[in-house]
Amino acid sequence: MTEAIMLVGGQGTRLRPLTTHTPKPMLPVAGVPFIAHQLARAAAAGVTRVVLATSYLAEVFEEHFADGSPYGIELVYLTEVEPLGTGGAIRNAAAGLTCGPDEPVLIFNGDILSGLDIAGLRDGHVAAGADVTLHLTRVEDPRAFGLVPTDEDGRVLEFLEKPETPEQIVTDQINAGCYVFTRSVIDRIPAGRPVSVERETFPELLQTGALVRGVVDTSYWLDLGTPAAFVRGSADLVLGKVDSPAVPGPTGDALLLDGATVDRGAVLSCGTVVAAGAVVRAGAIVEGSVVLPGATIGADAFVKDSIVGAYATIGARTSLDGAVIGDGATVEADNELPNGIRIACGVLLPVGAVRTTAGPGGCPAGQSTAAAVHGSVLQQ
Ligand code: GTP
């Protein structure tokens, strides 16, 4: 039996307004709440029990996942009244663990999509007799990340803050947000106050001579914390660039969930997802985007790399690129929104209110397909 803790209590500020009503780990990615992918991958690696460390909008998780039995995994919920940060949340969640002090406990950040060999990380931790083992990944541009250099045996040397000069870039290895802790190490994190695992727990462990290992695994890795990464992660799951047992239905150029209504004259591509109750009208082109439940994409609209919130409406001939449209917002016909715009929940943008020079882009050749796929309800 292996137990895990999943950190899902953050506010997800970088994804606002999508996280106004839904916590980031519950936002639909490739058709299901994001952590359904993580839970499925954890279960496949032999995890049998997961403690969800909740805080922001805590009730949403249990309403959806209940005791976990439909997902083949036992779920326990421990909620922080005041958010305790990553380390404090791990300490608080330890109350839900049943394992002994020498057992390994997997810890997942609730916003990382990866192809990590989870069982391998746990087994290597046990074999090495480590206190903590971190999954590390390599990035091309490490300037935006804290760095984690290791020696030739994989022992972590330091936890460095984001580099500010080229000389400070001593490695391209970064913390990938998945760890194995020996249970007794969790029990030593101070209780009842905010603690950052990155800034406090890990550096203290190094100071006391603990064995902290870093394992570089360069398979698929993406932090879904920003809108651009969020749509990419969803599309990559649909396109099969990363595997998840939780993707509902066959993958291909687009994923239409049961109850989606897409006109035969619409074109969906580049890993677009259309959720239940959403409608895409004739002539619309939707590329690499996430259309959430009950949303409507009007005739001849162009939607690229965007997230259209639940029950939002995009009018005819309107175009979006890299946009985030909040739940229930309406962008009426003939708007051309600038790249990267965010529209708050419930806002109304009248006909032709915004015009820019941005025009339709295009996805790589061969990824366009007519919408008539996967047996969803199609309008004639
Ligand atoms: P941003 O506000 O956009 O930075 O997102 P975030 O709130 O999710 O923060 P961040 O991406 O740094 O968090 C990493 C992971 O830790 C996410 O899965 C969060 O849900 C989780 N997390 C962050 N802070 C807390 C906390 O205080 N309590 C709990 N339980 N989880 C947390």
Side-chain angles (χ1 to χ4, degrees):
M1 163 167 174
T2 302
E3 292 184 307
I5 293 171
M6 211 166 268
L7 300 176
V8 293
Q11 302 223 349
T13 47
R14 288 167 296 160
L15 275 177
R16 281 188 192 147
L18 290 173
T19 46
T20 307
H21 305 121
T22 309
K24 175 169 61 173
M26 290 298 290
L27 288 171
V29 172
V32 293
F34 174 65
I35 56 165
H37 299 291
Q38 287 184 310
L39 291 171
R41 294 194 79 253
V47 173
T48 48
R49 191 158 186 279
V50 177
V51 183
L52 288 180
T54 58
S55 178
Y56 177 65
L57 299 174
E59 62 287 353
V60 179
F61 294 89
E62 196 162 358
E63 281 165 11
H64 185 90
F65 288 105
D67 66 359
S69 44
Y71 301 87
I73 205 159
E74 184 187 352
L75 293 181
V76 179
Y77 301 85
L78 277 175
T79 302
E80 299 139 51
V81 181
E82 293 296 327
L84 292 173
T86 45
I90 293 170
R91 177 68 176 85
N92 192 60
L97 299 172
T98 62
C99 63
D102 299 329
E103 300 293 319
V105 178
L106 279 153
I107 317 262
F108 298 95
N109 276 4
D111 53 359
I112 300 294
L113 178 61
S114 87
L116 169 71
D117 174 6
I118 297 169
L121 195 78
R122 177 198 54 208
D123 297 345
H125 172 90
V126 173
D131 293 292
V132 173
T133 299
L134 290 90
H135 169 206
L136 306 179
T137 190
R138 293 189 200 282
V139 288
E140 256 172 49
D141 182 1
R143 283 176 300 180
F145 301 92
L147 306 181
V148 189
T150 50
D151 69 13
E152 61 277 8
D153 299 323
R155 193 169 184 134
V156 173
L157 298 170
E158 274 181 294
F159 289 91
L160 299 168
E161 296 284 337
K162 287 179 194 170
E164 284 169 2
T165 63
E167 295 73 43
Q168 290 174 342
I169 303 179
V170 295
T171 178
D172 58 358
Q173 297 173 183
I174 65 159
N175 174 359
C178 176
Y179 325 107
V180 190
F181 275 61
T182 297
R183 164 74 195 264
S184 58
V185 175
I186 298 177
D187 292 335
R188 291 201 295 273
I189 297 173
R193 69 162 172 87
V195 178
S196 159
V197 80
E198 300 88 351
R199 296 211 169 79
E200 191 174 336
T201 310
F202 291 152
E204 274 180 18
L205 283 167
L206 287 188
Q207 270 174 14
T208 57
L211 176 51
V212 181
R213 296 168 65 243
V215 173
V216 179
D217 180 320
T218 53
S219 53
Y220 185 98
W221 182 84
L222 191 64
D223 172 351
L224 299 194
T226 63
F230 182 85
V231 288
R232 205 171 100 213
S234 182
D236 284 350
L237 280 159
V238 173
L239 295 170
K241 291 184 183 174
V242 54
D243 285 333
S244 161
V247 175
T251 52
D253 293 338
L255 174 64
L256 276 69
L257 298 170
D258 285 346
T261 304
V262 178
D263 191 282
R264 286 189 187 281
V267 177
L268 309 182
S269 64
C270 305
T272 286
V273 180
V274 183
V279 176
V280 182
R281 301 206 189 283
I285 296 173
V286 188
E287 295 179 358
S289 295
V290 178
V291 181
L292 291 175
T296 299
I297 310 293
D300 299 317
F302 175 74
V303 177
K304 182 180 179 224
D305 299 342
S306 296
I307 308 164
V308 181
Y311 300 97
T313 301
I314 306 303
R317 297 172 300 282
T318 279
S319 79
L320 311 178
D321 188 349
V324 180
I325 309 297
D327 295 344
T330 300
V331 182
E332 289 189 337
D334 299 313
N335 279 292
E336 212 175 311
L337 301 189
N339 193 320
I341 198 168
R342 298 188 193 204
I343 305 286
C345 300
V347 160
L348 170 74
L349 208 59
V351 176
V354 182
R355 305 291 299 174
T356 65
T357 51
C363 62
Q367 291 194 351
S368 288
T369 183
V373 289
H374 303 334
S376 289
V377 182
L378 304 177
Q379 285 183 342
Q380 300 302 314

